[in-house]
Amino acid sequence: MRDRFRDLEGPLAVRKKDVVLMATVSSFENLSHPTRSELRQFAELFMPLFQASSDEAKRQAVAALSQCENMPAAVALFIGNQPIEIAAPFLAASKAIADDTLITIARMQGATHVKAIVSRDSLSPKVIDALVALRQSQPRSAAASAPIMESPAVPLSPAPTETNEADALEEQRVANEEALRERILGLAGHLGRADEDRLGLRTLTDIQEALLVRFARSREATHFATALADALSASRWLAERIMLDLSGQQLATTLTSLGMGFLDAVFVLERLYPHLAEQQHNVTRGWMVLDALDPEECHERVEAWRRADRYTYKPETAGTPAPAATPDYRFIRQAPPQRDMRVMRVMGRRSR
């Protein structure tokens, strides 16, 4: 019986560590803004537990941590250097990995880790250049070994054949490098501009953003529409039409196009449209509306609204001269009869 319990002691211990690992990861996930002390404590607890846990628990822990926005640099490097079947979701999706950490992992690991890094939604120019440089340095060893494997198949003139094959392999290497560069640059171009890059786009000034937040806080819709029209350089009619969309979708599109901060935009939507403050999946409906928008599409849509507004909107001062001229004209027409009546009265008195 004792031997039987000893045989079960190992699996039970591993399961216990799996539970402790997942509990540690769950508690770290609940920290929205962990302090330096909490990050250090998590790093000290996580690595030993991770190494002692089963592969299934490791995959679950890495998948959960790939959604965290804050991560100790040591833990990110530790997870990124794990086997690719464990580290792949973390390398492809985590926003907590610094560029230097990604470059280090790419240099330390093989092509499978590099492929996972290339599949990320966002790649900085620094990482792209490092990956291209790394790709340029790798094929040289393959190019050197390939002629040795193929040279025995050529019975005559070995020296010229080896030279031709070396040139062909060199050309193939250069072509592969260019293809990889084009692929990475194309992937980076597909991602669009960075959120903080507002060059050439209509952007809220600090004062305009502060006014919009203030009027939304006090729910002064009239003043908010005036400030929004000023920010858009458009008519008040367009601002009011945007605000009349009770779903908040048009205002969310406009605020995203103007570059308002995400949290400020969520606050504005929740104040002007109270139903967007309802909680869904641990976030508000306003948060979900803004998170689903694409900045490039928002900018194109708002610019189309502004162009249509310029074509259709007529200033209120356009019709003012006509009413002003009408009273003057009536006064001029009525003045002569009044003067004639006075003359007739004076003449009547003299005749008496």
Side-chain angles (χ1 to χ4, degrees), residues 34-43:
T35 62
R36 292 184 180 179
S37 176
E38 291 171 339
L39 291 174
R40 185 180 66 255
Q41 292 176 3
F42 175 71

Side-chain angles (χ1 to χ4, degrees), residues 296-315:
E296 292 293 335
E297 294 180 359
C298 292
H299 176 66
E300 294 175 1
R301 184 169 300 180
V302 171
E303 286 302 309
W305 294 344
R306 294 182 64 254
R307 286 194 298 269
D309 180 66
R310 289 197 300 267
Y311 295 150
T312 60
Y313 174 69
K314 295 181 180 180

Side-chain angles (χ1 to χ4, degrees), residues 325-338:
T326 303
D328 295 338
Y329 177 74
R330 291 177 181 176
F331 178 79
I332 294 172
R333 291 286 301 273
Q334 294 174 358
Q338 292 178 359

